[in-house]
Amino acid sequence: MTESASTTPASRAFPTDFVWGAATSSFQIEGASDADGKSESIWDRFCATPGTIIDGTDGTRACDHYNRVADDVALMVDLGLTAYRFSIAWPRVVPGGTGEVNAAGLDFYDRLVDELLAAGITPYPTLYHWDLPQVLQDQGGWTNRATAEAFADYAAATVRRLGDRVTRWTTVNEPYVIANLGYLTGEHAPGHRDLNEALAASHNVLLAHGMALRAIKEIEPSHEVGIVINFTPVTPVGDSPFARERQQIVNEFENRWYSDPLAGRGYPAFATERLGWDQAEVLPGDLELIAQPVDFFGINFYTRKFVAAIDGERGDRGDETAMGWEIHPPALGDLLRFLDDEYDFPKLLITENGAAMPDTERDADGRVADHDRIAYLRGHLEQVAGAIEQGVPIEGYFAWSLLDNFEWAWGYGPKFGIVEVDPDSLERRPKRSALWYADLIRSGSLPTD
Ligand code: FCB
């Protein structure tokens, strides 16, 4: 991925059928962690392990979305969202990981879907956003190929129940994070630190996607099925051969490791050789399963990363969000053009984009005045509009996140929501950015001021 300078006009119109959404995930907002037959997930277990979550919090209550579905959908209506991306918790639907389906767990998503459709909002559920049933982790989790098979069964059960109303399915969210933060750095559940486990997990997660896609298409051939990949474009500091070599290996390991096999090219050669991965987990037929055509390709984009020949050497970094992530919107435009030029995915969806900001400023009436978040969203949406004008088929955009929520190992500190959630009362209040987003959705055009 290379960078190019891009200019943006003051105002930009989006296609009239552009999908305007916001995104969340089950563990980050639902709470109700043992309601209605839900079993323990790896994130329940991880949070209960001392030293894993910066502020020592967990998902027991989160935003209590489980008990506030109607109010939260009403909030989406106020904002004018045309789509909502959420995830389904596997431990609610198949508490044993495999086998019996828990109708009460599916009832919750059934209600959510009905509320959304009644409000004219298109549901975009993701089947796996990191909350694996702990019982499957006890058998190796994503290092175990059987987890991919179990995932396809769980996906099929969900589609059988909701597929008369839901027609767009995302299999997994961010395989890179699942494999590497879960099994290599240990920052995420299940907290392992083992390169071989991470490599096996990366393959089994992609395989799970392929098996689920096949299962969904067998039940509902006309439904759209996609996957969500997080991309972090890599920029070398200077142009020494060392920096460029590191750029290639990091880019292959973090980005192309997922997009290449999904596009039918197998795992990137340079990085696999450097890692010494013999691909013993890759059985005949696996790469074909992974490369079955998707109907849409989801992209989560937050920031880019620099790599230097010498550790610690810093590039020319722009401003940062409260996560310390550099704000550099042109990297999104370049990424969208790259994906369009390089591969043949029929359409792209921005499934997550947003920023944690300090949220310390308030208007006179007490509303969070998050002009920095507005600037972030605007900068990235300008890039999306520019790419669409250049012919990149982008179907829609989902802001991360609808609500302030549980930010994994960071706990409740980082605020990613366009809607504030009071940590005690859990009362929701749209921030300025939410009102700005609602105006944008209404007008279909980025405002000039
Ligand atoms: C993404 C995750 C999402 C959220 C954002 C900030 O990697 O998919 O759950 O944590 O980052």
Side-chain angles (χ1 to χ4, degrees):
M1 281 168 243
T2 52
E3 274 177 66
S4 66
S6 52
T7 52
T8 46
S11 146
R12 313 203 81 143
F14 285 83
T16 47
D17 57 355
F18 195 69
V19 172
W20 291 108
T24 62
S25 87
S26 47
F27 191 81
Q28 294 179 278
I29 66 163
E30 285 178 0
S33 57
D34 56 7
D36 300 326
K38 175 185 167 292
S39 66
E40 186 187 23
S41 79
I42 56 173
W43 272 93
D44 294 312
R45 176 72 61 94
F46 192 65
C47 292
T49 310
T52 53
I53 312 298
I54 276 182
D55 57 4
T57 54
D58 60 35
T60 317
R61 185 171 80 137
C63 303
D64 194 33
H65 170 71
Y66 195 81
N67 297 305
R68 296 169 193 238
V69 163
D71 291 349
D72 286 342
V73 173
L75 193 58
M76 297 177 213
V77 171
D78 287 347
L79 300 183
L81 301 185
T82 64
Y84 175 51
R85 175 173 179 249
F86 58 97
S87 79
I88 294 177
W90 183 350
R92 291 196 194 283
V93 177
V94 186
T98 58
E100 208 178 316
V101 175
N102 175 31
L106 276 170
D107 286 347
F108 166 67
Y109 299 105
D110 206 89
R111 279 199 303 280
L112 170 60
V113 164
D114 282 345
E115 293 274 356
L116 290 169
L117 292 176
I121 299 171
T122 306
Y124 279 79
T126 298
L127 289 157
Y128 186 74
H129 199 130
W130 308 353
D131 40 2
L132 187 73
Q134 177 63 40
V135 63
L136 293 182
Q137 189 60 50
D138 297 341
Q139 297 157 43
W142 288 111
T143 67
N144 182 357
R145 188 179 173 93
T147 298
E149 285 156 15
F151 178 69
D153 291 343
Y154 144 66
T158 305
V159 170
R160 280 194 203 100
R161 173 73 181 271
L162 302 178
D164 56 338
R165 285 152 294 151
V166 170
T167 59
R168 293 167 171 88
W169 303 94
T170 294
T171 53
V172 297
N173 180 71
E174 301 192 348
Y176 168 82
V177 173
I178 298 167
N180 294 300
L181 274 66
Y183 293 87
L184 180 60
T185 69
E187 292 160 82
H188 279 189
H192 294 193
R193 296 196 178 135
D194 184 312
L195 177 62
N196 291 324
E197 285 194 15
L199 294 169
S202 72
H203 179 64
N204 289 329
V205 171
L206 285 177
L207 190 61
H209 155 78
M211 288 179 169
L213 186 150
R214 182 178 59 186
I216 296 169
K217 292 282 185 183
E218 273 168 20
I219 301 167
E220 298 283 2
S222 66
H223 284 196
E224 294 194 356
V225 185
I227 185 169
V228 167
I229 304 296
N230 57 299
F231 284 92
T232 311
V234 186
T235 302
V237 179
D239 70 347
S240 71
F242 301 107
R244 274 186 274 115
E245 188 178 311
R246 286 186 91 172
Q247 178 202 20
Q248 185 180 352
I249 195 164
V250 173
N251 186 37
E252 288 194 359
F253 185 62
E254 296 197 13
N255 299 312
R256 300 191 76 128
W257 196 272
Y258 303 92
S259 49
D260 275 7
L262 288 163
R265 300 184 188 180
Y267 293 98
F270 189 63
T272 45
E273 275 161 28
R274 289 307 173 96
L275 295 169
W277 186 37
D278 62 7
Q279 304 196 38
E281 299 83 356
V282 184
L283 302 188
D286 284 4
L287 292 174
E288 289 73 17
L289 262 181
I290 292 169
Q292 293 165 97
V294 290
D295 299 296
F296 61 87
F297 188 78
I299 298 149
N300 289 356
F301 178 87
Y302 290 93
T303 189
R304 67 173 168 171
K305 99 168 0 168
F306 285 98
V307 291
I310 301 163
D311 280 337
E313 212 184 337
R314 284 167 71 88
D316 186 12
R317 289 170 64 93
D319 291 345
E320 293 178 351
T321 70
M323 301 296 286
W325 298 350
E326 191 208 11
I327 303 170
H328 189 66
L332 175 58
D334 292 335
L335 170 67
L336 294 168
R337 285 181 286 273
F338 163 81
L339 292 171
D340 187 42
D341 291 346
E342 184 77 6
Y343 304 114
D344 264 340
F345 301 121
K347 61 189 178 193
L348 310 179
L349 259 187
I350 316 294
T351 36
E352 285 180 30
N353 176 239
M357 290 295 181
D359 286 359
T360 43
E361 308 283 317
R362 289 187 187 262
D363 285 349
D365 66 355
R367 186 188 300 283
V368 172
D370 51 342
H371 298 286
D372 43 9
R373 183 175 288 104
I374 293 173
Y376 180 99
L377 296 174
R378 170 203 285 278
H380 289 82
L381 280 159
E382 279 171 353
Q383 294 294 326
V384 174
I388 293 172
E389 281 160 21
Q390 291 164 330
V392 182
I394 304 167
E395 184 179 54
Y397 175 93
F398 292 80
W400 182 273
S401 179
L402 177 69
L403 303 172
D404 286 339
N405 60 44
F406 178 77
E407 180 49 30
W408 309 110
W410 295 88
Y412 293 95
K415 309 286 184 208
F416 272 95
I418 55 172
V419 173
E420 178 185 19
V421 178
D422 183 277
D424 301 316
S425 67
L426 299 186
E427 196 183 314
R428 280 77 159 135
R429 185 163 189 198
K431 303 177 189 176
R432 280 243 146 267
S433 56
L435 305 185
W436 177 86
Y437 194 48
D439 278 347
L440 168 57
I441 297 172
R442 212 170 300 121
S443 70
S445 192
L446 275 166
T448 47
D449 56 347

